[in-house]
Amino acid sequence: MKILITGASSGIGEELAKRYSSPENHLYLIARSCEKLEVLKKELQNVTPICKDLSNLEEASALGEELPELDLLIFNAGISLGHDSKHFTSSADFERLFSINFLSIHRTMEKLYPKLKSGSKIVFISSLASIISLPSSIAYSTSKRALNSYAEGLRYFLKPKGVEVLNILPGFIVTPLTDKNGFKMPFLLSLEKGVDRIEKAIQKGKVSYAFPKRFYFLIKFISFLPTQIRDRVIEFVKK
């Protein structure tokens, strides 16, 4: 298979690259860190490293033009601004996050769309944070909720073409993204266990897969509560 993985230089993206590295596969690994990509090129088999900063939407468009016809596309690149409910996010930070987490995907897909073939899979790595937007992570939650909607619409749009679209919503996984969180993260999974579940969801063609299930059901339960009660729960969580 020809496989695209964005955000491949660390965390989930790097681990997925290691899982899919084989003589039968060719990996197109995307990240901002050229040095880390070169290290992966030496460590793994059949790697084409492509150094792009997806906060630059022109580079995201160029990426779509450069890539060949692919069998598996994993859009994993994403950043977080951490958790802060006391300071209002600046427009510069908000727009940079939104560009990487969401807008860059459509820029890339716009150029890749004509190259899609029946039987290929597109995988989006969203987040359980998309279900309820906490005051400490408005930008991140908003970008991931937008991604959920995008994945749903794209799945309907590409179904006649025979292209599968999968949306995966992980909870907390040990990565450089979560390392900056200064609080105890519920149901925290190791990188290996988290990627195990992502890999299996891709293999099984899960249209929408949220995990860990206990955390997912807890968040969904809170989201269904009457507004006044839900507000009290969120106020408690903030503390």
Side-chain angles (χ1 to χ4, degrees):
M1 291 193 299
K2 292 181 179 179
I3 303 172
L4 164 71
I5 303 175
T6 69
S9 63
S10 65
I12 292 172
E14 181 182 7
E15 183 65 20
L16 284 170
K18 293 176 180 178
R19 302 284 182 99
Y20 283 109
S21 176
S22 74
E24 295 79 23
N25 294 336
H26 191 101
L27 306 180
Y28 295 86
L29 304 183
I30 319 302
R32 286 173 292 172
S33 175
C34 303
E35 293 180 359
K36 289 183 179 179
L37 288 178
E38 287 302 321
V39 170
L40 287 175
K41 183 179 180 180
K42 294 176 182 178
E43 292 179 349
L44 307 180
Q45 303 178 67
N46 302 329
V47 169
T48 297
I50 303 178
C51 190
K52 297 286 186 186
D53 181 356
L54 296 180
S55 67
N56 183 327
L57 298 181
E58 295 303 321
E59 289 196 28
S61 293
L63 171 62
E65 292 178 345
E66 293 173 23
L67 290 167
E69 185 180 83
L70 299 162
D71 300 289
L72 177 60
L73 300 77
I74 303 176
F75 289 97
N76 165 74
I79 63 169
S80 167
L81 302 177
H83 286 258
D84 184 355
S85 59
K86 296 181 180 179
H87 300 94
F88 197 74
T89 305
S90 71
S91 293
D93 285 342
F94 195 104
E95 289 168 11
R96 179 170 173 269
L97 180 146
F98 221 83
S99 292
I100 295 171
N101 292 12
F102 180 61
L103 296 176
S104 64
I105 293 173
H106 187 73
R107 280 294 191 107
T108 304
M109 282 299 305
E110 182 183 16
K111 304 299 181 181
L112 284 177
Y113 171 72
K115 307 174 191 178
L116 295 175
K117 60 182 180 179
S118 179
S120 59
K121 287 183 181 180
I122 301 171
V123 180
F124 297 116
I125 305 299
S126 183
S127 170
L128 289 184
S130 63
I131 298 173
I132 297 177
S133 184
L134 295 177
S136 58
S137 58
I138 296 172
Y140 183 78
S141 294
T142 301
S143 70
K144 292 301 185 180
R145 190 175 297 188
L147 183 58
N148 294 349
S149 182
Y150 184 80
E152 181 180 33
L154 194 66
R155 180 167 64 86
Y156 295 137
F157 182 75
L158 293 177
K159 191 172 184 179
K161 198 169 184 175
V163 176
E164 294 182 66
V165 177
L166 316 179
N167 192 35
I168 300 177
L169 294 79
F172 292 112
I173 296 174
V174 177
T175 67
L177 196 70
T178 58
D179 285 345
K180 65 180 70 173
N181 292 339
F183 57 90
K184 185 176 180 180
M185 291 169 278
F187 304 99
L188 179 66
L189 292 175
S190 68
L191 180 61
E192 293 73 20
K193 289 184 178 180
V195 175
D196 279 346
R197 299 194 186 192
I198 292 171
E199 188 179 15
K200 289 177 183 177
I202 295 172
Q203 290 173 350
K204 294 180 179 180
K206 297 279 189 179
V207 169
S208 181
Y209 179 67
F211 71 94
K213 287 300 181 186
R214 286 180 296 169
F215 195 21
Y216 168 67
F217 290 136
L218 175 61
I219 294 172
K220 287 296 288 185
F221 172 74
I222 294 172
S223 72
F224 288 140
L225 291 173
T227 303
Q228 289 184 337
I229 299 176
R230 186 169 70 245
D231 287 353
R232 291 179 184 176
V233 174
I234 299 303
E235 283 297 322
F236 176 79
V237 172
K238 279 174 59 179
K239 298 175 184 179

